[in-house]
Amino acid sequence: MTLSIRNQLPGTVTAVTPGEAMATVKIRLDGGQDLTAAITLDAVDELGLAQGTSVRALVKSTEVSLATAPVRGVSIRNQLPGTVTAVAAGAAMATVKIAVEGGELTSAITADAATDLALAAGTPVVALIKSTEVSLAKE
């Protein structure tokens, strides 16, 4: 299957914490970072997720926000440090490619945000991803 989702990061499940309808799934990405996904219990069961399961974390580029430093006092669990490798800006939107340990992320943000953050190749950034925006696929 080919997907339009640009961000596909391989990793291994380190923990599954079930709730009433949803579960949090902690993943150690191949690059060494930790990522949390919040998915339905049905998805956990259907994928057979347990500690040690190989997965691919999928995140749409429109769900990757950027900051120029780690953010404190925010509910976003996933903060991946990286470096901008390319910026393609149009009149309204910009696509920003970020090298992270073990892979690459793409973020789609407004052109105004890219300008305000002074994003250019070499700029250190932190990719912010809500756990509810991380989907999982079994390898």
Side-chain angles (χ1 to χ4, degrees), residues 24-94:
T24 55
V25 180
K26 298 210 182 274
I27 302 124
R28 172 66 46 97
L29 298 177
D30 287 358
Q33 312 92 323
D34 291 318
L35 192 73
T36 299
I39 63 174
T40 65
L41 287 176
D42 287 343
V44 170
D45 291 340
E46 289 170 14
L47 293 170
L49 298 181
Q51 186 174 356
T53 304
S54 292
V55 294
R56 190 165 289 270
L58 308 171
V59 183
K60 290 176 60 175
S61 60
T62 53
E63 300 302 333
V64 178
S65 297
L66 298 176
T68 55
V71 180
R72 294 181 170 261
V74 67
S75 65
I76 297 174
R77 298 288 62 152
N78 300 308
Q79 297 192 29
L80 302 177
T83 303
V84 173
T85 58
V87 179
M93 297 295 293

